[in-house]
Amino acid sequence: MAEENKLGFFEKYLTVWIFACIVIGIALGKLFPQIAGTLDSMQVYEVSIPIAICLFFMIYPIMVQIDFKQVVKAGKTPKPVLTTLVINWVVKPFTMLFFAWLFMANIFAPYLTELQVSQYIAGMILLGVAPCTAMVLVWGYLAKGNQGHTLVMVAINSLVMLFLYAPLARILLGISDIVVPWETILLSVSMYVGVPLVAGYFSRNYLLENKGKDWFENRFSPVMHNIAITALLVTLVALFSLQGDIILDMPLVIAMIAVPLLVQVFFIFFLGYGIAKVIGISYEDAAPTALIGASNHFEVAIAVAAMLFGINSGAALATVVGVLIEVPVMLGLVCICLRTKQFFKREA
């Protein structure tokens, strides 16, 4: 009950705010396409500068509250780390391939051309082999998970992606000359994780030393929490304003692409969550383990799809749909985590 009482205005009505931001974003993109076009053009190596700014204000408030002793401790507990790695790199790419094939090449095939089927499957595969390395910090934070474990896995996934992304994508797509967007990976990790990590580490030490722990926890932290939630909602408006035309022009195609992506997200989440429960991982580690597997690094997937198939291809469209469902769905999974937290309590 104590945790329930701590829910602020944002959290109590978060579902309402999310829906409102989606509607506002789509409306802004439709009514003011020139603004959306300007925002969309502000990119460096396929990394959106406006989204990067929003993500900084989402992730810095999280980084500044991490006790970095947790990170060292998390690195010494192999069970959740190995579970996360297996789900991300051994299971997830192949289940994404299966669900993409099941829905696109079979269930929805009568309504699509052969080219659409092959390209939508390709885009989904590119999403499936790109685990999230930034936004998951937000999901773990909202789920009251162990941010030390989350940060360790962000670092490990970023390194593993550099070596495994191209080979896995090459195997699953059957394409031999896949180009890894090194610049996109390095720049996005640096901007989304590196900058707020460094800023959070040094500002935390400075504030604790000069303002004290009581001020930090009771005055500073609540403000940072509200900033993080506000930035999340602004990010939603920005994402949906950039893709509003696609949603309104091709709603049925968007829905068909979204179905296997949603099935994959929920399957991987419950698989990771269930394994964590069975092998005795605490809730604080189980929540981020499941959330990391369920989310994707959509910037990399979009960049590769655009380079391989073209920016207006079905593959690129499939990766964009991944962006559109990411935030609302992941917030739903956070709610599931919080509501099932008691299942991980160990009996005395």
Side-chain angles (χ1 to χ4, degrees):
M1 291 298 295
E3 287 185 359
E4 292 285 339
N5 292 335
K6 289 180 181 178
L7 288 177
F9 184 69
F10 276 127
E11 292 88 340
K12 287 180 181 178
Y13 304 101
L14 190 56
T15 303
V16 177
W17 310 141
I18 291 168
F19 180 76
C21 288
I22 291 173
V23 173
I24 291 170
I26 294 174
L28 287 175
K30 192 67 177 177
L31 295 174
F32 305 101
Q34 67 277 11
I35 297 177
T38 301
L39 291 174
D40 196 33
S41 66
M42 299 170 66
Q43 297 185 9
V44 178
Y45 296 120
E46 304 293 332
V47 175
S48 170
I49 301 304
I51 298 299
I53 293 171
C54 289
L55 284 178
F56 174 84
F57 286 103
M58 287 168 60
I59 294 173
Y60 167 75
I62 298 166
M63 291 294 193
V64 77
Q65 296 186 57
I66 294 177
D67 181 353
F68 285 86
K69 294 177 182 177
Q70 295 177 16
V71 178
V72 176
K73 184 178 178 182
K76 296 178 180 178
T77 53
K79 193 185 291 186
V81 172
L82 289 174
T83 302
T84 308
L85 279 174
V86 169
I87 290 172
N88 274 271
W89 296 103
V90 179
V91 178
K92 181 179 177 181
F94 299 95
T95 57
M96 185 72 264
L97 172 61
F98 171 73
F99 289 129
W101 167 83
L102 176 64
F103 284 94
M104 292 295 123
N106 292 275
I107 297 174
F108 297 144
Y111 312 102
L112 302 169
T113 66
E114 288 188 12
L115 179 61
Q116 285 177 312
V117 168
S118 63
Q119 292 219 342
Y120 295 158
I121 290 175
M124 293 176 197
I125 289 171
L126 293 174
L127 277 172
V129 293
C132 187
T133 59
M135 287 288 284
V136 74
L137 288 159
V138 180
W139 314 139
Y141 169 70
L142 293 175
K144 304 185 189 304
N146 178 1
Q147 288 300 90
H149 168 56
T150 310
L151 189 54
V152 166
M153 286 316 306
V154 163
I156 293 175
N157 270 339
S158 299
L159 292 173
V160 173
M161 192 186 300
L162 293 173
F163 299 99
L164 285 188
Y165 185 87
L168 268 175
R170 186 178 300 134
I171 291 169
L172 296 177
L173 288 173
I175 300 174
S176 60
D177 56 348
I178 291 177
V179 178
V180 178
W182 307 108
E183 299 91 346
T184 301
I185 295 174
L186 294 173
L187 183 61
S188 63
V189 170
S190 298
M191 292 178 66
Y192 298 165
V193 181
V195 173
L197 171 63
V198 172
Y201 176 79
F202 285 105
S203 59
R204 174 185 174 85
N205 290 341
Y206 174 82
L207 291 172
L208 286 173
E209 184 177 339
N210 291 274
K211 294 289 189 176
K213 186 176 180 180
D214 182 69
W215 180 89
F216 183 88
E217 293 182 349
N218 297 310
R219 299 284 296 278
F220 181 74
S221 291
V223 173
M224 288 294 101
H225 178 73
N226 288 336
I227 288 175
I229 299 295
T230 302
L232 172 62
L233 298 177
V234 172
T235 302
L236 261 180
V237 173
L239 286 174
F240 278 84
S241 69
L242 295 176
Q243 307 300 337
D245 283 341
I246 294 177
I247 297 170
L248 296 175
D249 293 343
M250 297 188 295
L252 291 178
V253 172
I254 298 299
M256 282 190 282
I257 296 173
V259 170
L261 293 178
L262 287 169
V263 172
Q264 162 79 349
V265 167
F266 282 99
F267 176 80
I268 291 295
F269 170 80
F270 283 111
L271 178 67
Y273 210 44
I275 290 174
K277 170 64 176 174
V278 169
I279 65 177
I281 295 177
S282 68
Y283 169 80
E284 287 72 21
D285 286 335
T289 293
L291 293 168
I292 289 168
S295 55
N296 300 301
H297 195 319
F298 47 78
E299 293 86 4
V300 171
I302 291 172
V304 176
M307 285 189 289
L308 290 177
F309 302 100
I311 191 65
N312 295 316
S313 65
L317 176 62
T319 59
V320 169
V321 176
V323 178
L324 297 180
I325 69 171
E326 173 97 358
V327 176
V329 172
M330 292 306 299
L331 285 169
L333 295 181
V334 167
C335 291
I336 292 174
C337 287
L338 293 172
R339 289 179 179 274
T340 57
K341 187 175 181 179
Q342 69 274 13
F343 296 145
F344 288 82
K345 290 182 180 178
R346 295 173 182 173
E347 295 181 3

